Amino acid sequence: MGVRMNEYRHKPFIKFTSTQAIEAFFSSYPVKKYKKGHILILAGENTDYAYYLVEGKMKIYDVTYRGDEIIINTFRPPAFFPISLIINESVTRYIYEADTDITIQQAPREAAAYFLDKHPDVVFDLLSYLYTTLDEVLERLVHAIASSAKDRLIYCLVTECREYGELQPDGTYILAVSEKELGARAGLSRETVSREAKILKITKLIEVHHNYMIIINIKKLERYLDIHRA
């Protein structure tokens, strides 16, 4: 799993004190650039490297037997990954892929493991973030099991806005995501996302465009989730 060491929008700020130490560690290793779609780690593989995301966006996902993509996590700079593979020398079940053009630095896995062993402050910060992320994953799981398609889509829209939405002067958010990508994040088919999004569009909560959406009133979407969570 990757770790993104900056604050969530609309969430309590998680203060990390070890970012400079991580940047100093990776500074002696080369900078590499990859295009969108480049796969750093395949499912069923371990890794020989630790990565530090400098620019761009990464995603971790699985593929169903039907060939549908299910996104497990996404992250932007600064991100240090894949922690579990570095520490446990384990094999991943998921695919690590560039969701945009990316710039990274990579260090040998053994060197990264030694760095973590000698810097408990860094490990503490990473664990703090990972447990925060775990809470989100569990909440997504609850929605996936017990919620309607509408609830799951709204939850996905709200969390994507918290993470990646661009707040506009009029209070709306621009969310650079397609219906297909939303489906992958919410565990819904593109057709289901399109159907439910049309309802939200009619009620003037969102606008749907080709590769982006405008979230007109995120407060109403959040209140809807609060009511249905009660």
Side-chain angles (χ1 to χ4, degrees):
M1 181 175 288
V3 175
R4 191 168 70 89
M5 294 171 291
N6 55 349
E7 71 176 290
Y8 286 135
R9 292 182 178 88
H10 308 306
K11 289 190 178 180
F13 179 60
I14 302 172
K15 185 176 181 181
F16 289 97
T17 59
S18 59
T19 303
Q20 288 185 338
I22 295 172
E23 290 176 345
F25 167 70
F26 278 97
S27 66
S28 59
Y29 295 99
V31 174
K32 296 180 179 289
K33 295 181 181 290
Y34 295 106
K35 295 292 185 182
K36 177 180 178 179
H38 180 83
I39 294 175
L40 291 179
I41 309 171
L42 280 168
E45 290 185 346
N46 198 327
T47 179
D48 294 326
Y49 297 100
Y51 300 97
Y52 187 64
L53 184 63
V54 179
E55 294 179 354
K57 181 180 173 184
M58 288 290 302
K59 64 180 178 181
I60 308 172
Y61 66 95
D62 198 359
V63 178
T64 70
Y65 71 94
R66 294 191 301 264
D68 297 325
E69 185 178 296
I70 302 295
I71 295 177
I72 310 300
N73 192 18
T74 59
F75 45 94
R76 290 190 180 186
F80 182 11
F81 67 97
I83 303 302
S84 60
L85 305 189
I86 294 168
I87 294 175
N88 299 325
E89 299 184 45
S90 56
V91 172
T92 183
R93 294 181 53 190
Y94 308 113
I95 300 166
Y96 288 70
E97 181 179 313
D99 204 26
T100 64
D101 293 352
I102 60 170
T103 301
I104 62 169
Q105 290 172 280
Q106 64 183 55
R109 189 200 63 78
E110 293 82 359
Y114 181 81
F115 166 74
L116 292 173
D117 183 58
K118 298 302 179 182
H119 289 81
D121 58 324
V122 173
V123 175
F124 182 87
D125 278 358
L126 297 180
L127 283 174
S128 175
Y129 181 86
L130 286 172
Y131 275 102
T132 302
T133 303
L134 178 60
D135 286 342
E136 294 181 344
V137 171
L138 292 175
E139 189 172 3
R140 285 174 58 191
L141 179 61
V142 169
H143 277 276
I145 293 172
S147 298
S148 66
K150 180 180 180 180
D151 291 359
R152 289 160 67 180
L153 177 59
I154 291 176
Y155 176 77
C156 188
L157 288 170
V158 169
T159 53
E160 286 294 304
C161 273
R162 288 172 179 167
E163 285 277 347
Y164 305 118
E166 296 179 12
L167 179 60
Q168 304 302 300
D170 62 358
T172 64
Y173 283 84
I174 294 178
L175 193 57
V177 63
S178 67
E179 290 182 349
K180 181 179 179 181
E181 291 170 322
L182 272 179
R185 285 159 171 74
L188 300 169
S189 68
R190 182 176 181 177
E191 292 76 17
T192 300
V193 171
S194 181
R195 183 183 69 244
E196 297 296 337
K198 283 180 181 177
I199 298 172
L200 296 177
K201 183 179 178 181
I202 291 170
T203 54
K204 301 187 182 302
L205 290 173
I206 67 172
E207 292 180 8
V208 180
H209 300 271
H210 178 56
N211 280 321
Y212 70 96
M213 294 184 178
I214 298 177
I215 310 304
I216 298 172
N217 195 327
I218 192 172
K219 295 297 183 184
K220 282 190 176 180
L221 294 178
E222 289 174 334
R223 284 198 295 271
Y224 174 89
L225 288 179
D226 288 340
I227 291 170
H228 283 249
R229 195 180 283 125

